[in-house]
Amino acid sequence: MLARLRLPRLVSILLALTTVAALTVGSTSTAGAARAAQPNVVVIMVDDMNMYALQYLSNVRTLIAEPGTTFDNSFVSYSLCCPSRATFMTGQYAHNHGVLSNGLPDGGYQKLPAAETLPVWLGRAGYDTGHIGKFLNGYGRQNPTEIPPGWAEWYGSVDPSTYRMWGYTLNENGVLRTYGSPEVEDPALYQTDVYAAKAVDYIQRKAPADKPFFLSFAPLAPHGEIAAGQDLSKRNPRPAPRHLGALDDVTLPKPPSFNEADVSDKPAAVRNRARIPAEAQQRMQNVTLKGRLESLLSVDEAVAGIVAALRESGELDNTLIVFTSDNGWMQGEHRIRNGKIVPYEESIRVPLIMRGPGLPAGRHVKTIAANVDLAPTILDAADATPAITQDGRSLLPVAADTATTPRAVVIENGPKTDGTDWYVGLRAPRWKYVEHSTGEQELYDLQQDPYELTSVHADPRYAGTRQALAGRLAKLRTCTGTACHQWTPVAGPKP
């Protein structure tokens, strides 16, 4: 039977902690020094956040980036929720872990090889583990009280209710609890705030113990809501009531690629798109963009609450905090009004910021990083051992190295059993090369064309570059383990 709960007390505690965090940036560590070899780990993974949105998250910048390390060139290999989160859980590319879509038969939670994943390995290494919020797409549809392997505490959102800011259901350690109803915007039950209060409570309970902990905190924001009786005509997603209108002056960014006039160089999937009319642009700005950004303000407050709880417990200096997104988001670039799954920068580039033991303060790393590196990095910090081959690498030595190391990341979104078009490609320091299942190609010289306005795949000056990249891709498209790290730079065009 579903119980309907209210958490005003925990939410008020969270807001009080937010105030404390805003006033104090410094930290002290007491009990944490005893287990410096095994730091706590807190991963904050938002949903569908592009790099543009980071400017509105002041607590993320002040409390994680300034005392930590920012990876300026961070990408996801498969820019879709479920495959990307499976990569986080396994440390593998999608072509190895096999989650190739958000739902069956190619993907979804049921396709995750859950018996050997990050929380399982950390548990074996002595960690307490807890998850709060969204998990892989499709979780809970077949068995809503299931707790995936490896999680000692579980507060997972049950699909399809995951995509509601009110009226969502959580599996709380085997008990289903529903918070509010979709059409009633009760400030005390706003999804991000409830999740944040649970995160603060978890830290307050776990931090005094001798055992290190791993907390996965996964709010829905800024992902759009799925209508279930609610009014989404003003904002989608809906922000917390206190934040509605807070960013009303924001206007839709229009880089050179926005509503691109000439897409003759692009694949048919882009060429066939009409230009975005003014009316649609207004809705993109007033409903989608403002809803997305205002919903993130609650996440930013949650970050402050989490950091404050760690500080008050004396564990902040001995905690690795990771802030990132499962994928990016298109907002009009190349005529693509919204969404992801495409190989363009706004879709695959995501924020990745870390603070914690061994991470330099204020450092900006230019070397390419990827979501396939998240699990190896956490395992490295925790001195834990994976039971499956890792395609990524630890970013801890990368953060400490002031040199920029050449590297490429595989970007992919298939193949699919239903015959849907797909692509595979490489994102390298200067180049992006993509081969589509339709036979079409794209090649961008990002040094000369950062907005990807002109694909030079057919330009004879770049013929040698294209051939070299095609050869690199032939080796990496099915790579496994350390073979995925192999990269030699590719020469530029002939004069």
Side-chain angles (χ1 to χ4, degrees):
M1 181 176 182
L2 302 183
R4 298 187 179 273
L5 304 183
R6 299 171 62 87
L7 294 179
R9 181 173 176 273
L10 284 177
V11 172
S12 66
I13 290 173
L14 171 69
L15 295 178
L17 289 171
T18 299
T19 302
V20 172
L23 295 174
T24 309
V25 177
S27 65
T28 60
S29 178
T30 54
R35 353 177 225 89
Q38 277 194 312
N40 308 306
V41 179
V42 176
V43 175
I44 303 165
M45 181 175 287
V46 295
D47 199 331
D48 287 6
M49 178 180 159
N50 54 25
M51 290 298 298
Y52 165 82
L54 187 59
Q55 62 188 296
Y56 297 96
L57 303 185
S58 59
N59 289 324
V60 171
R61 299 196 311 274
T62 304
L63 300 175
I64 305 180
E66 289 182 9
T69 298
T70 300
F71 294 85
D72 292 326
N73 293 297
S74 171
F75 301 93
V76 295
S77 57
Y78 190 142
S79 60
L80 183 64
C81 302
C82 199
S84 180
R85 290 169 189 263
T87 289
F88 164 51
M89 286 285 105
T90 63
Q92 294 185 331
Y93 281 119
H95 63 252
N96 288 326
H97 62 60
V99 182
L100 298 172
S101 180
N102 276 349
L104 294 172
D106 296 310
Y109 166 69
Q110 293 78 11
K111 294 282 286 186
L112 177 71
E116 294 294 345
T117 55
L118 182 60
V120 175
W121 308 325
L122 291 175
R124 290 173 185 159
Y127 275 73
D128 259 333
T129 58
H131 174 80
I132 300 169
K134 178 175 177 176
F135 199 53
L136 274 66
N137 299 65
Y139 167 75
R141 287 185 178 272
Q142 292 187 2
N143 181 5
T145 60
E146 175 187 6
I147 299 174
W151 299 104
E153 284 199 34
W154 180 257
Y155 306 92
S157 60
V158 175
D159 280 358
S161 76
T162 298
Y163 301 94
R164 304 172 195 152
M165 290 304 191
W166 286 274
Y168 49 93
T169 297
L170 299 185
N171 172 6
E172 300 189 350
N173 298 311
V175 178
L176 296 180
R177 294 179 177 169
T178 296
Y179 292 79
S181 59
E183 66 278 1
V184 179
E185 299 183 6
D186 184 343
L189 299 180
Y190 186 66
Q191 188 196 90
T192 305
D193 293 343
V194 171
Y195 291 179
K198 290 183 180 297
V200 168
D201 175 67
Y202 182 88
I203 292 168
Q204 290 173 336
R205 288 186 290 107
K206 297 297 181 181
D210 292 334
K211 202 173 184 181
F213 63 83
F214 166 52
L215 174 61
S216 167
F217 177 71
L220 173 65
H223 193 292
E225 292 185 72
I226 297 176
Q230 63 269 44
D231 179 9
L232 301 178
S233 62
K234 295 180 180 178
R235 295 285 194 272
N236 187 9
R238 292 172 292 174
R242 66 185 179 277
H243 294 140
L244 179 62
L247 299 177
D248 217 23
D249 293 335
V250 169
T251 57
L252 190 64
K254 296 183 178 180
S257 56
F258 180 83
N259 209 14
E260 191 175 356
D262 182 4
V263 291
S264 59
D265 60 304
K266 301 289 189 297
V270 175
R271 292 199 311 272
N272 294 337
R273 292 177 179 266
R275 299 197 72 191
I276 307 170
E279 181 180 354
Q281 292 183 36
Q282 281 297 108
R283 178 172 177 81
M284 290 168 59
Q285 172 179 286
N286 296 330
V287 177
T288 305
L289 178 64
K290 292 178 182 179
R292 286 168 51 80
L293 296 179
E294 289 175 354
S295 75
L296 281 169
L297 297 179
S298 296
V299 174
D300 199 44
E301 291 178 353
V303 167
I306 288 169
V307 171
L310 290 167
R311 179 184 294 112
E312 290 191 347
S313 71
E315 289 287 341
L316 181 57
D317 287 344
N318 194 42
T319 300
L320 170 63
I321 304 176
V322 180
F323 180 89
T324 191
S325 178
D326 58 357
N327 48 253
W329 183 257
M330 305 293 293
Q331 45 195 29
E333 300 87 2
H334 314 296
R335 305 186 185 181
I336 302 172
R337 301 186 187 192
N338 54 62
K340 53 252 185 172
I341 326 179
V342 292
Y344 306 116
E345 291 291 278
E346 294 79 10
S347 175
I348 66 172
R349 186 188 287 267
V350 296
L352 178 58
I353 309 170
M354 302 182 188
R355 72 169 288 182
L359 287 162
R363 172 71 56 83
H364 283 260
V365 176
K366 301 300 181 184
T367 298
I368 285 179
N371 61 337
V372 75
D373 301 323
L374 295 177
T377 301
I378 293 168
L379 293 169
D380 185 14
D383 194 24
T385 303
I388 60 176
T389 301
Q390 301 287 280
D391 298 334
R393 61 181 183 177
S394 173
L395 295 174
L396 297 183
V398 177
D401 187 358
T402 57
T404 299
T405 305
R407 188 226 188 151
V409 172
V410 177
I411 52 177
E412 56 189 346
N413 76 338
K416 313 288 182 55
T417 57
D418 63 1
T420 304
D421 294 343
W422 54 279
Y423 63 80
V424 63
L426 295 172
R427 175 49 166 94
R430 178 175 177 177
W431 311 105
K432 181 180 294 177
Y433 174 67
V434 184
E435 294 179 354
H436 294 265
S437 60
T438 58
E440 298 165 300
Q441 297 178 347
E442 292 178 271
L443 171 59
Y444 298 99
D445 184 344
L446 299 172
Q447 180 176 295
Q448 304 296 326
D449 181 20
Y451 295 103
E452 301 170 291
L453 299 176
T454 305
S455 176
V456 294
H457 63 279
D459 188 329
R461 295 174 300 168
Y462 286 85
T465 301
R466 180 180 55 77
Q467 292 170 3
L469 288 167
R472 306 286 198 281
L473 178 59
K475 294 180 179 180
L476 292 175
R477 63 190 300 159
T478 57
C479 69
T480 300
T482 56
C484 298
H485 309 168
Q486 297 176 7
W487 178 256
T488 52
V490 173
K494 294 183 178 180

